[in-house]
Structure formats: structure tokens, C-alpha cells
Amino acid sequence: MKFSTACLATFASLTSSGMAAPVYNTNSSAELQSAVSQEIFGWTKPTFPELYHTCNSTNARMLNVALQESLEVSAYAKDRLLKYGADDVYYKRWFGNGSIFTVMGVFDHLVESSKSGVLFRCDDVEGLCAANPGYYAGHHRVSVPAETVICDYFYMSKKPISSICFEGNIIDVGPSHYAGIDLFHRYLHVPSMNLDYVGEYAEELDELIDYAENNSTFAVRNTDNYLYYMADVYSSSIVPGGCLGELS
């Protein structure tokens, strides 16, 4: 799988067409699954969460663009794993000596395993979006574990992956600043997706680096290590050497 200039041009063309991000009368992601069923994004059988009827056509359009970006960024990550393996500098930075089989399996599972019952909804059913304005872009519903609420702030605060490296380095803005990576991380709050294996065991940058250097068993189980790896690898396709920023 190669991501040539021609391939990226094809992706840009699809994104601007109705095929890539149609507005769904059903507010379902089924049409998106059909549209990307070809190996355009480096995945052969990606699956998607259901969008609840409380997501209007604008919500659905923006979420489906972000879901596409999740595929694109994770495809770059998978391609890097296949090409350079566990000795790659990017792999070592975020996963240390952790098992590459685990990392590959996590990406495969999150993208292509069944998402039956996994639901994204756009109503503030528990009032947490309103209670945390300017902060909550979304939240996992603990009382209904398969559901994720996407707050209005998501659409204002999360940026397209095309803007990576142009709004500050990754360390400054954080990988979840980008909509596609943020939605990828939201899968990992859902029990059927994280399988009680991958979780937010550490979130501070120094902790992530410490995991990679001294506790790689948990580096390959920690959500934020995956998010930084994805952003770091993707940024290297935009700017030589990427735009991670300084690791203190």
C-alpha cells in the first residue's frame, strides 16, 4: 500500500464529491461504509458506528468526513508498521519494545471489526455538553456503554487532518485536536472496541514516553500512545521529519 501524490489527489477528489461524504436522510453511516468499501484508504473492510437520528444532516456530513480521516490516518500508521517494523524510530518512540503484533491487532480491530450496537448520538442526553461548554467535544455514556455523545463543541474545536503541522506542533495542540484522530480515540472508550485491554492508563506526555522506554507492555495498551503514534507518522508524510515538537 503506497500513498503517492496521485493517491492523495484521488482522496481529495473523493472527499469533494458526493461519494465521500454524502448527507444521509437516514443519518446512518451505512452509505459511508458502502462508499469506502473499495481499498481506497488502505483498508479492505472498514466498519463504522451508527449515527443516531438526533444527528442532523450537517452533523452527519461532518462526522462522516471525520470518520474518513480516521481511516486515512490509521492507514498511514498501518503502512508504516508493515514497511519498517518494530525497529522504526516512530515505533520505538511510542511503543518501545512492545509487541508489534499487539499494535497491528489493535489497528485492525478498531477499523475492521464489527461495530454492531456502537452508536454516535448528537443530543446532549445527560446535559454534560451544556455543563462543560468550551471543553467537552464529546463523552462516552457510562450508563449505556456502547454510546458516545458528540457535543456541538466538537464541530467548532476539532480540525481536519489536512491542517496538521499548520496550526502548531503535535505536542502543543495534541493529537485529538484533529477530528479523525479524536473519533478514533472515542472508539477506545467503548467496551466492545477496547475489550478491556486498551485504555487511558496515562495521558501526560512524559508518562507516555516513560511507558515506551520502561514499560512497553503498557505502551501498547495505552490509548494516547496510539494517538501520538498516528499523528506523528501522518505528520511525517506532510513535512519531512514531521512536526511532533520538542520532547523535553
Side-chain angles (χ1 to χ4, degrees):
M1 177 181 61
K2 294 183 179 180
F3 293 91
S4 63
T5 302
C7 179
L8 290 175
T10 300
F11 175 80
S13 174
L14 290 171
T15 302
S16 64
S17 72
M19 176 182 176
V23 175
Y24 307 126
N25 292 330
T26 61
N27 290 356
S28 167
S29 55
E31 291 90 341
L32 178 64
Q33 184 162 328
S34 175
V36 300
S37 61
Q38 303 174 37
E39 198 174 354
I40 296 170
F41 302 95
W43 298 101
T44 55
K45 296 180 180 179
T47 61
F48 302 92
E50 185 73 19
L51 302 185
Y52 197 47
H53 65 80
T54 54
C55 296
N56 62 34
S57 59
T58 300
N59 299 147
R61 175 176 55 82
M62 296 178 74
L63 287 172
N64 279 303
V65 169
L67 288 167
Q68 281 185 351
E69 292 183 355
S70 293
L71 294 186
E72 185 183 5
V73 177
S74 58
Y76 271 84
K78 179 181 179 180
D79 188 52
R80 181 104 195 170
L81 290 170
L82 291 171
K83 283 183 177 178
Y84 299 104
D87 292 328
D88 180 38
V89 62
Y90 290 90
Y91 187 90
K92 290 293 187 185
R93 181 179 294 152
W94 300 110
F95 301 116
N97 294 320
S99 169
I100 194 171
F101 296 108
T102 298
V103 176
M104 285 290 295
V106 168
F107 279 115
D108 284 343
H109 175 70
L110 290 178
V111 174
E112 295 194 327
S113 68
S114 171
K115 294 182 179 67
S116 176
V118 178
L119 185 73
F120 284 2
R121 58 189 301 158
C122 301
D123 53 328
D124 190 10
V125 62
E126 290 163 332
L128 294 178
C129 299
N132 298 275
Y135 177 65
Y136 264 31
H139 66 88
H140 172 238
R141 296 191 69 198
V142 177
S143 60
V144 189
E147 294 190 5
T148 298
V149 171
I150 305 298
C151 301
D152 288 346
Y153 186 59
F154 174 89
Y155 310 103
M156 295 183 284
S157 63
K158 302 304 177 183
K159 304 301 180 182
I161 197 63
S162 59
S163 68
I164 199 168
C165 297
F166 295 98
E167 294 188 326
N169 62 53
I170 295 165
I171 289 174
D172 286 343
V173 302
S176 290
H177 180 66
Y178 303 101
I181 297 177
D182 183 74
L183 290 189
F184 196 89
H185 122 265
R186 294 191 185 280
Y187 289 154
L188 288 167
H189 286 279
V190 177
S192 63
M193 293 285 94
N194 64 40
L195 302 179
D196 293 325
Y197 185 80
V198 180
E200 291 182 339
Y201 301 107
E203 298 181 73
E204 297 299 323
L205 185 61
D206 59 344
E207 295 178 297
L208 309 186
I209 298 301
D210 183 65
Y211 270 2
E213 293 178 350
N214 302 304
N215 192 358
S216 58
T217 299
F218 265 85
V220 300
R221 296 183 59 184
N222 190 55
T223 295
D224 283 71
N225 287 70
Y226 284 90
L227 305 185
Y228 270 95
Y229 176 75
M230 292 168 67
D232 198 6
V233 167
Y234 190 84
S235 75
S236 72
S237 73
I238 305 300
V239 175
C243 57
L244 176 63
E246 293 296 324
L247 292 171
S248 56

